[in-house]
Amino acid sequence: MTKILPMVSGKFQQTMKAVGLYRYLPISDENSLIDLELKLPKVTKTEVLVEVKAISVNPIDTKIRAPKPYIETYPRILGWEGAGTVVATGKEVNIFNLVDDVYFTGDLRKNGSNAQYVALDQIFIGPKPKNLTFEQAAAMPFTTVAAFEALYDRLLLTHKDKGKSLLIINSGGGVGSIATQLAANLKLKVIGTASRLETEEFSRKNGAQIVLNHTKDLLPQLKAKGFGNGVDFILVNNNPYPYWDVLIQAIKPKGKICLIVDNSGLVDIKPLKDKKVALVSEMMATKMNYDTKDKARHNEILKIASKMFDNGTLRPTVTKTLSPINAATLREAHRLIEEKRLVGKLVLSGF
């Protein structure tokens, strides 16, 4: 039997506020994101209904919203991470209870969290870190899961790699800042890259011992810092295409490279074979999209990370909060993301 709190079961609570789109337009267009009133989502047997308290905006939001010649017949709701409180559970939900405070990633196959309520399968959800505010917690799920999977599941890093070197391209971004913290906790030599003083300082704050300027040639900078023979691992949080030749030269024989962002052009992978380099990629949605046997790992990561935020092993990376959650504020958030000048994570709270 579906469990539901009385406050969302009455006739007065059959609709909700949301922000969405019908057309994919430039963010300067006031119709690019609009205020809506929609029916309250219904939960399936394994889903949880969350009352949203705070959301985060990521580059993927702006990428999906970017102009294209397509018109939705039903409004598209963006938003792929946030935090809130459980107000209803499906009959087979066995991880969460009513009134649990949670943080969550979104399901790219359905409408997202830019709404008062969002229905998600329980594997997308984790217990909110008790020591974080809803705003701080909302900023962490998407980038934390991606960083965990990239380092632990794709690069296969463990404490046995203590002392080895990891180059993180764009260490000041959302995924890069968490990956930097995780790698520093494993006692790796973390080499970050940034383009501005603010992102350089942010990278160092998160545990990077060295920060290079990725607007300049990285190879002489690596050599000057004692890594002329290369690094053991590379995590690429930017478009790999402009860096491809550098990656080939900077990675040690038998090293590993993980790509998170799509490559904008064709590249030659033959040099990787000569060095026996492993090239892997990270896509957070793979487990759910292909219904893999290990899809529950998503929930497991969120639970582990929650404990790490509570004991101080991980630190939140939110640096800017806007309010309230409405179309005008979300358009401003998208504009800031598209400017590519933000440091850390951007959060919105309060309907």
Side-chain angles (χ1 to χ4, degrees), residues 83-143:
T85 302
V86 174
V87 295
T89 59
K91 62 182 180 180
E92 293 184 10
V93 170
N94 55 13
I95 303 176
F96 298 100
N97 296 304
L98 298 180
V99 306
D100 282 351
D101 290 334
V102 296
Y103 68 155
F104 55 85
T105 65
D107 184 345
L108 297 177
R109 299 167 298 182
K110 57 188 295 185
N111 271 340
S113 56
N114 292 351
Q116 282 183 294
Y117 297 91
V118 61
L120 292 165
D121 192 285
Q122 62 181 343
I123 63 173
F124 289 94
I125 300 170
K128 184 185 82 69
K130 294 181 177 60
N131 290 340
L132 300 190
T133 64
F134 280 106
E135 289 81 5
Q136 290 173 320
M140 305 319 304
F142 191 96
T143 51

Side-chain angles (χ1 to χ4, degrees), residues 196-246:
R196 294 173 286 139
L197 179 61
E198 306 97 292
T199 46
E200 176 184 345
E201 292 176 347
F202 192 62
S203 296
R204 293 187 186 280
K205 179 181 177 182
N206 286 308
Q209 292 109 314
I210 299 168
V211 183
L212 311 179
N213 186 335
H214 58 226
T215 66
K216 299 179 180 179
D217 190 346
L218 292 175
L219 292 175
Q221 296 180 73
L222 283 168
K223 185 176 181 180
K225 296 296 183 180
F227 295 93
N229 293 326
V231 295
D232 298 291
F233 307 98
I234 303 178
L235 176 62
V236 188
N237 297 305
N238 267 345
N239 173 17
Y241 189 73
Y243 301 98
W244 191 255
D245 291 340
V246 172

Side-chain angles (χ1 to χ4, degrees), residues 80-338:
W80 316 116
E81 67 178 345
T85 302
V86 174
V87 295
T89 59
K91 62 182 180 180
E92 293 184 10
V93 170
N94 55 13
I95 303 176
F96 298 100
N97 296 304
L98 298 180
V99 306
D100 282 351
D101 290 334
V102 296
Y103 68 155
F104 55 85
T105 65
D107 184 345
L108 297 177
R109 299 167 298 182
K110 57 188 295 185
N111 271 340
S113 56
N114 292 351
Q116 282 183 294
Y117 297 91
V118 61
L120 292 165
D121 192 285
Q122 62 181 343
I123 63 173
F124 289 94
I125 300 170
K128 184 185 82 69
K130 294 181 177 60
N131 290 340
L132 300 190
T133 64
F134 280 106
E135 289 81 5
Q136 290 173 320
M140 305 319 304
F142 191 96
T143 51
T144 299
V145 172
F148 257 77
E149 290 188 349
L151 265 59
Y152 296 138
D153 300 348
R154 306 304 293 140
L155 291 175
L156 303 178
L157 297 180
T158 71
H159 286 286
K160 294 181 180 179
D161 294 305
K162 177 181 178 180
K164 292 184 179 179
S165 52
L166 168 66
L167 172 63
I168 300 180
I169 307 277
N170 188 21
S171 54
V175 176
S177 56
I178 290 295
T180 298
Q181 293 185 46
L182 292 172
N185 289 336
L186 293 176
K187 308 300 182 184
L188 273 77
K189 296 176 182 176
V190 182
I191 307 158
T193 78
S195 60
R196 294 173 286 139
L197 179 61
E198 306 97 292
T199 46
E200 176 184 345
E201 292 176 347
F202 192 62
S203 296
R204 293 187 186 280
K205 179 181 177 182
N206 286 308
Q209 292 109 314
I210 299 168
V211 183
L212 311 179
N213 186 335
H214 58 226
T215 66
K216 299 179 180 179
D217 190 346
L218 292 175
L219 292 175
Q221 296 180 73
L222 283 168
K223 185 176 181 180
K225 296 296 183 180
F227 295 93
N229 293 326
V231 295
D232 298 291
F233 307 98
I234 303 178
L235 176 62
V236 188
N237 297 305
N238 267 345
N239 173 17
Y241 189 73
Y243 301 98
W244 191 255
D245 291 340
V246 172
L247 301 179
I248 299 294
Q249 296 179 66
I251 193 68
K252 285 182 178 180
K254 298 184 180 181
K256 295 178 183 176
I257 301 173
C258 180
L259 308 181
I260 288 185
V261 179
D262 291 342
N263 210 332
S264 64
L266 297 176
V267 295
D268 183 7
I269 65 171
K270 287 186 290 185
L272 298 178
K273 183 176 183 295
D274 183 60
K275 284 181 150 182
K276 289 188 177 180
V277 170
L279 178 65
V280 299
S281 58
E282 159 56 17
M283 179 64 178
M284 189 181 67
T286 297
K287 293 182 176 66
M288 278 62 70
N289 289 347
Y290 294 93
D291 196 27
T292 62
K293 292 181 179 179
D294 64 342
K295 65 182 181 181
R297 167 76 170 153
H298 195 96
N299 168 259
E300 178 188 342
I301 290 172
L302 289 171
K303 288 193 289 188
I304 294 170
S306 182
K307 293 178 181 178
M308 294 177 74
F309 283 115
D310 277 337
N311 65 28
T313 306
L314 285 177
R315 297 176 301 280
T317 57
V318 58
T319 57
K320 189 174 185 65
T321 302
L322 302 176
S323 185
I325 301 173
N326 60 24
T329 312
L330 267 166
R331 288 197 298 270
E332 172 65 7
H334 277 235
R335 185 189 67 79
L336 291 170
I337 294 289
E338 289 182 345

